[in-house]
Amino acid sequence: CEPLGPPPTDVDSLGTETDLDPATTSERILLQAIHSAQPACVGCHKYIDPAGFGFEHFDAVGRYRTVEKEVVQIDASGILETAAGTKLVYSNSAEYAEQLTGSTQMRSCVSRRFLEHYLSQELSANACELRKYQEQLDAREHTVKSLLDSLIQLESFTKRKQVQ
């Protein structure tokens, strides 16, 4: 739910030159040095990159790995600081997922997007139906089952008319 604008149109997709050796430097370091450090890119990449760093131990098809390029050690740690000032600190994907699921901001975002998808409309933060939905969720465990159970308790579900 972090607001990200459209990508800038004037960015050099190849980035800038660096003295780093691509054969012995991790993709993460290369990305940070060549692409994400560009002033036009850093505004969004400060959110996007840390979200992916926790999953560095997994290759493109999801296989677990401890090294890349046969010799470069994987660093799957990161710090994701949200626009609201929350910091998620992790050293691997399991810790990252734990940090996300424990985040009030994340729970609020998921429930809002879930309800918006169901209603097929965007909701303002103070929308009555969203408030009722989140109150029901707060009284339950934070699970996907709770998202569904709380949804079917809403008037927008129980009083929905059948279209024929």
Side-chain angles (χ1 to χ4, degrees):
C1 287
E2 296 291 351
L4 299 177
T9 56
D10 59 345
V11 173
D12 178 7
S13 62
L14 299 176
T16 57
E17 290 296 319
T18 179
D19 292 335
L20 300 171
D21 179 3
T24 59
T25 305
S26 73
E27 291 298 321
R28 173 182 178 158
I29 300 297
L30 289 171
L31 172 73
Q32 290 173 315
I34 296 171
H35 176 72
S36 300
Q38 292 187 50
C41 301
V42 75
C44 292
H45 278 270
K46 67 182 175 185
Y47 301 119
I48 297 169
D49 293 350
F53 293 156
F55 298 95
E56 283 291 309
H57 279 296
F58 300 96
D59 68 11
V61 295
R63 290 180 297 218
Y64 188 83
R65 62 194 180 151
T66 57
V67 296
E68 64 178 293
K69 302 176 184 179
E70 298 182 17
V71 295
V72 181
Q73 291 295 313
I74 299 287
D75 176 11
S77 66
I79 299 172
L80 173 61
E81 187 168 353
T82 67
T86 304
K87 277 189 181 180
L88 306 180
V89 181
Y90 53 90
S91 60
N92 56 47
S93 60
E95 287 180 14
Y96 179 60
E98 210 172 283
Q99 291 283 319
L100 281 178
T101 57
S103 163
T104 304
Q105 186 178 353
M106 179 67 164
R107 285 194 302 269
S108 175
C109 176
V110 169
S111 62
R112 178 179 178 167
R113 296 296 184 223
F114 194 84
L115 183 59
E116 286 177 337
H117 181 73
Y118 165 71
L119 296 174
S120 297
Q121 62 182 336
E122 284 191 37
L123 299 170
S124 65
N126 63 354
C128 183
E129 197 73 343
L130 178 59
R131 228 180 8 260
K132 289 177 188 175
Y133 186 53
Q134 288 180 330
E135 285 171 7
Q136 287 184 31
L137 286 170
D138 287 344
R140 300 170 176 259
E141 288 184 49
H142 300 286
T143 64
V144 173
K145 183 180 184 314
S146 295
L147 287 171
L148 293 167
D149 288 346
S150 295
L151 180 69
I152 63 173
Q153 302 299 316
L154 294 173
E155 285 184 17
S156 58
F157 185 87
T158 60
K159 296 190 178 188
R160 191 173 189 167
K161 293 182 180 178
Q162 215 39 305
V163 177
Q164 298 193 16

